Amino acid sequence: MASDTQHAGADLAIRQARPEEAEALSELAIRSKGHWGYDAAFLAACRAELTLTADDLTSAQTFVVDGPSGPVGFYRLVVRDDGVCELDDLFVDPTAIGSGVGKRLWAHAVVQSAAAGCTEITIQSDPFAEGFYRAMGARRIGESESGSVPGRMLPVLRYAL
């Protein structure tokens, strides 16, 4: 049987997340964060911030890419009143990193942001993911403190639509 990575290319559809997927997507987020080599204590500190509820999946535009064994990536987009969309989450399962899932989710988020009338997307990024967003055309505009680890500063990026 082929792995999710072999199936994670452009042929997989992006669909809206379902509220009952909150736990599975939360676990995907933790696995994705863990891909960067963070230790168990760090991941435990991030767990509350990475845990999604059914309301989280319905209060923001949330989209999923499925692989043969379930979700292999998702993103959440918060549309603000000021013409800015915040990319609140974008996570790819480690089995699908490097397969194009992240790029597909990003491109979908850009289209959704424009359709919502936004003029820019802002991202508070994990330091290891900053290069991905820069490669997608975002530029660093500053930094902000992590909501999980006090004193840890995270890159903030902006993508103009």
Side-chain angles (χ1 to χ4, degrees), residues 15 18-32 47 50-53 57 64 66 69-74 91 93:
R15 62 165 176 84
R18 296 183 293 269
E20 64 271 15
E21 294 179 300
E23 184 178 348
L25 296 180
S26 298
E27 291 304 314
L28 189 158
I30 292 289
R31 285 192 309 277
S32 181
R47 183 168 286 280
L50 296 177
T51 298
L52 301 167
T53 65
L57 301 185
V64 173
D66 284 316
S69 304
V72 293
F74 76 96
F91 289 102
D93 192 275

Side-chain angles (χ1 to χ4, degrees), residues 54-119:
D55 186 54
D56 291 330
L57 301 185
T58 58
S59 65
Q61 294 185 27
T62 308
F63 293 90
V64 173
V65 171
D66 284 316
S69 304
V72 293
F74 76 96
Y75 77 87
R76 290 182 59 242
L77 193 66
V78 177
V79 180
R80 300 188 336 206
D81 292 335
D82 61 358
V84 175
C85 283
E86 292 179 24
L87 187 64
D88 207 38
D89 293 306
L90 192 158
F91 289 102
V92 175
D93 192 275
T95 63
I97 289 176
S99 70
V101 169
K103 288 179 183 177
R104 292 197 54 237
L105 288 168
W106 171 259
H108 193 269
V110 168
V111 170
Q112 293 293 63
S113 298
C118 293
T119 58

